[in-house]
Amino acid sequence: MVADKGKKLKVAEKLEEKGSESIVGKLLVSVEKLQEIQDELETINEEASDKVLEVEQKYNEIRRPVYDKRTEMIKSIPDFWLTAFLSHPALGELLNEEDQKIFKHLSSLEVEDFKDVKSGYSITLHFNPNPYFEDTNLTKTFTYADDDGTTKITATSIKWKEGMGIPNGINHEKKGNKRPASNESFFSWFTDTQEKDHSDIHDEIAEIIKEDLWPNPLTYFNNDADEEDFDDKETIEEQGKDGDDSEESEDDQEDEDDDDDDEDGGEDDGK
Amino acid sequence: MVADKGKKSKVAEMAEEADSDPIDGDLVLSVEKLQEVQDELEKVNEEASDKVLEVEQKYNEIRRPVYIRRNEIIKTIPDFWLTAFLSHPALCDLLSEEDQKIFKYIKSLDVEDFSDVASGYSITFNVDENPYFEETKLTKTFTFYDEGTTKITGTNIKWKEGTAASNGVNHVKKGNKRPLAEESFFSWFSETQQKDVAELHDEIAELIKEDLWPNPLKYFNNEADEEDSDDDADDEEENGDDDEQDGVEDSD
């Protein structure tokens, strides 16, 4: 409270210069009362934050087993995470050719908050044994230190097998040339562990995975399915709209027709 | 559920394109089950959001009377909001010379969420009668709609004759970059173009609501501190050991 007293004294001095002591007195009292109100508000806000945190912790616990169930289900869908990544508008750009091959060995991806929710979280990629690196788990962890607002970042140091992971290193970079982003490996993300201020933290990849991909990866996985079929579907729709403009379109349309028993769609009774 | 069915059939088509039949069936089943889990998660998330909103609504109600009490105290501190604005690193740049005079007439500032918290809020300046405009209450209101758009309304200020702001753009010489403080802060009330919630970028509103309103005393006090540190600096120059600045007279 020394600082407060210092401020009050300064205000008092300043106002004494201007005139009557009674004005100074009243003003001081007002500012003091104002400070008390701010203290009261701060207490209320802290309580509100605590309650909100409680809710988040409670629902995190409820979600956990559902996520575990989901992880098991995903294991029975081949290349699920690879597909979801590639269909994500931002994440898709991050996987170079080697990365995509490596991702075929990805068995699951997990995002997990620390138990108290507020002090951090981790993102883990679980891999089957593979020809690229020794590790089976690659984890990146973000720990928020309350006191100083900094974030400690740790990540698995990948034990690449011989000849693998070269895009991660500096070898590819010719001096003076700008390295095209698409060549840089996604896995270099695990080497970005520089400590940052809370406010500076800008691990976009982590944020996208945690906030965007993890809550509902199925939308992206399905997007990919949609896009593949959309190309075909588009053709059908164009044909439908254009009617008989193209002879070719009739044949194609008949090919796609479920009712069509003929492989080549020569004769078709009904649509 | 039409969309879901659409997705399922697309996945089914995709599976059909693959070679082997038994795998298709399993794949479709797995994806369907996955969709169910996602639906389950969505319900949990909605419940969580509702509960968080409840907490925020509850504490907003608790804060309201405290803010009202605070307003009464602030009214007894002359030029409180003017001082707080001028001490705020960003807001201070927004006040033209005339604005600063107008601010002397501000009785109180009020930021109020709609009672359900989520659907919007308003920022109100209560102003004493003054030679600048007719109104005694200037309000800007933000209403968030479910579909993601925001409706913005602001008091249409009836400027009195002869005020700088009523002259509007005349102050700007063509071709000159207008320094920010030439434009009246109060033009903020007429900036009411509807925006998507995602694009909503009324920085002034955000600064007032999120930064100034929770604790304006912090900024008010800053100013008191800064002024005194200026005074202190002056004192040092006058009384201090270093006489070089004062000139040759003092040496020897």
Side-chain angles (χ1 to χ4, degrees):
Chain A
M1 295 297 277
V2 175
D4 289 340
K5 281 191 185 156
K7 283 177 195 165
K8 284 182 220 164
L9 285 174
K10 283 178 186 168
V11 171
E13 280 173 33
K14 190 173 77 159
L15 292 159
E16 269 174 22
E17 287 169 21
K18 294 184 180 169
S20 165
E21 278 186 4
S22 66
I23 295 180
V24 172
K26 284 181 190 162
L27 207 67
L28 272 183
V29 170
S30 291
V31 174
E32 272 183 44
K33 283 194 197 162
L34 189 48
Q35 186 60 60
E36 283 169 22
I37 295 229
Q38 289 299 148
D39 295 340
E40 198 180 328
L41 281 169
E42 200 178 315
T43 306
I44 295 175
N45 291 342
E46 278 173 19
E47 211 181 290
S49 293
D50 289 344
K51 289 279 187 282
V52 167
L53 196 63
E54 267 179 45
V55 172
E56 288 176 351
Q57 286 163 351
K58 171 182 166 189
Y59 280 86
N60 255 39
E61 277 185 45
I62 293 177
R63 275 184 282 253
R64 195 78 221 132
V66 184
Y67 280 135
D68 289 343
K69 193 171 40 164
R70 187 179 78 174
T71 295
E72 285 311 306
M73 278 181 206
I74 285 177
K75 285 181 182 171
S76 54
I77 301 174
D79 296 334
F80 178 84
W81 286 111
L82 170 60
T83 309
F85 252 74
L86 290 176
S87 328
H88 189 287
L91 296 173
E93 308 289 315
L94 303 177
L95 301 186
N96 65 24
E97 275 194 45
E98 190 184 55
D99 292 339
Q100 295 184 35
K101 292 184 198 153
I102 301 175
F103 260 57
K104 282 193 153 303
H105 300 277
L106 182 62
S107 71
S108 73
L109 183 146
E110 292 221 30
V111 175
E112 197 166 349
D113 286 295
F114 290 5
K115 197 136 201 251
D116 68 352
V117 178
K118 60 176 179 166
S119 42
Y121 68 96
S122 65
I123 298 175
T124 303
L125 277 61
H126 299 274
F127 285 88
N128 295 325
N130 65 82
Y132 296 92
F133 41 72
E134 306 284 348
D135 319 82
T136 51
N137 285 352
L138 301 183
T139 304
K140 193 162 182 184
T141 307
F142 300 81
T143 310
Y144 308 132
D146 262 343
D147 322 348
D148 43 9
T150 55
T151 303
K152 186 176 88 173
I153 310 177
T154 58
T156 311
S157 186
I158 304 177
K159 299 185 204 61
W160 292 95
K161 293 185 178 170
E162 235 189 272
M164 298 302 171
I166 288 179
N168 287 323
I170 309 180
N171 304 348
H172 258 208
E173 200 173 1
K174 297 175 197 162
K175 286 201 168 124
N177 284 3
K178 179 165 149 60
R179 187 201 311 191
S182 54
N183 284 338
E184 186 173 358
S185 170
F186 165 78
F187 292 92
S188 63
W189 177 61
F190 288 94
T191 51
D192 289 336
T193 55
Q194 202 175 15
E195 190 179 282
K196 296 172 190 184
D197 269 337
H198 248 283
S199 43
D200 287 349
I201 180 122
H202 205 49
D203 193 325
E204 283 197 41
I205 296 176
E207 281 174 26
I208 295 174
I209 294 178
K210 178 181 201 287
E211 309 289 340
D212 201 13
L213 184 69
W214 174 252
N216 193 347
L218 185 57
T219 42
Y220 294 106
F221 178 84
N222 278 339
N223 256 358
D224 187 71
D226 282 358
E227 275 175 23
E228 282 185 21
D229 296 309
F230 187 64
D231 288 342
D232 297 339
K233 197 176 175 205
E234 199 175 63
T235 324
I236 299 174
E237 281 177 7
E238 284 174 10
Q239 294 156 13
K241 279 180 198 166
D242 294 346
D244 296 327
D245 285 353
S246 155
E247 287 174 10
E248 211 179 328
S249 65
E250 280 181 48
D251 289 341
D252 287 346
Q253 201 170 16
E254 287 161 358
D255 277 342
E256 302 290 343
D257 199 325
D258 286 344
D259 296 334
D260 192 358
D261 295 331
D262 300 338
E263 283 176 24
D264 296 332
E267 296 164 9
D268 188 16
D269 290 336
K271 291 177 184 173
Chain B
M1 297 297 275
V2 174
D4 289 341
K5 281 193 184 156
K7 281 178 189 162
K8 271 189 243 168
S9 64
K10 280 169 189 166
V11 173
E13 282 179 36
M14 186 175 87
E16 279 170 16
E17 287 172 18
D19 287 330
S20 159
D21 277 346
I23 294 180
D24 300 340
D26 285 348
L27 189 65
V28 171
L29 204 61
S30 295
V31 175
E32 275 183 36
K33 282 200 202 152
L34 189 49
Q35 186 61 59
E36 282 171 21
V37 173
Q38 289 298 151
D39 294 340
E40 198 181 328
L41 280 170
E42 200 179 315
K43 280 208 197 96
V44 174
N45 291 341
E46 277 174 21
E47 213 180 289
S49 293
D50 289 345
K51 289 279 186 286
V52 168
L53 197 62
E54 268 179 44
V55 172
E56 289 176 350
Q57 286 164 349
K58 170 182 168 190
Y59 280 87
N60 255 38
E61 277 185 43
I62 293 176
R63 276 185 282 252
R64 195 77 213 127
V66 183
Y67 282 134
I68 291 175
R69 249 189 296 146
R70 186 178 78 172
N71 252 356
E72 293 307 309
I73 296 177
I74 285 177
K75 285 179 185 173
T76 64
I77 302 174
D79 295 339
F80 178 83
W81 288 112
L82 170 61
T83 309
F85 255 72
L86 289 178
S87 324
H88 187 288
L91 295 172
C92 64
D93 292 333
L94 302 178
L95 301 189
S96 68
E97 270 196 50
E98 189 180 63
D99 289 339
Q100 294 187 32
K101 295 183 195 151
I102 299 174
F103 259 63
K104 284 184 157 303
Y105 292 91
I106 290 184
K107 241 180 356 196
S108 68
L109 174 68
D110 207 1
V111 176
E112 196 166 352
D113 287 293
F114 292 3
S115 58
D116 69 351
V117 179
S119 48
Y121 67 96
S122 65
I123 296 176
T124 302
F125 287 80
N126 292 302
V127 191
D128 284 327
E129 266 190 45
N130 64 84
Y132 298 94
F133 45 73
E134 307 284 346
E135 288 74 17
T136 51
K137 206 175 169 102
L138 302 179
T139 305
K140 194 163 184 184
T141 306
F142 300 81
T143 309
F144 307 132
Y145 293 115
D146 274 340
E147 65 254 23
T149 53
T150 303
K151 184 176 90 174
I152 309 176
T153 57
T155 309
N156 192 9
I157 303 177
K158 297 186 204 63
W159 293 95
K160 293 183 177 168
E161 248 187 70
T163 53
S166 70
N167 293 332
V169 187
N170 299 348
H171 263 207
V172 182
K173 297 176 196 160
K174 285 196 169 138
N176 287 0
K177 179 165 151 68
R178 187 200 312 187
L180 197 53
E182 290 301 317
E183 186 177 3
S184 171
F185 164 76
F186 294 93
S187 62
W188 175 63
F189 288 93
S190 12
E191 287 158 21
T192 55
Q193 202 176 12
Q194 189 185 87
K195 298 174 190 183
D196 273 336
V197 174
E199 288 173 17
L200 179 68
H201 204 50
D202 193 327
E203 285 197 37
I204 297 175
E206 282 169 25
L207 284 170
I208 295 177
K209 178 181 201 285
E210 309 289 339
D211 200 13
L212 184 70
W213 176 253
N215 190 350
L217 182 58
K218 187 173 71 174
Y219 294 105
F220 179 84
N221 279 340
N222 257 359
E223 218 246 6
D225 280 357
E226 274 175 22
E227 282 190 17
D228 294 311
S229 50
D230 285 344
D231 292 340
D232 287 344
D234 287 340
D235 287 341
E236 281 171 19
E237 279 177 23
E238 289 163 16
N239 303 329
D241 296 331
D242 187 358
D243 292 335
E244 285 170 10
Q245 260 179 312
D246 290 346
V248 187
E249 293 171 26
D250 293 333
S251 47
D252 291 359

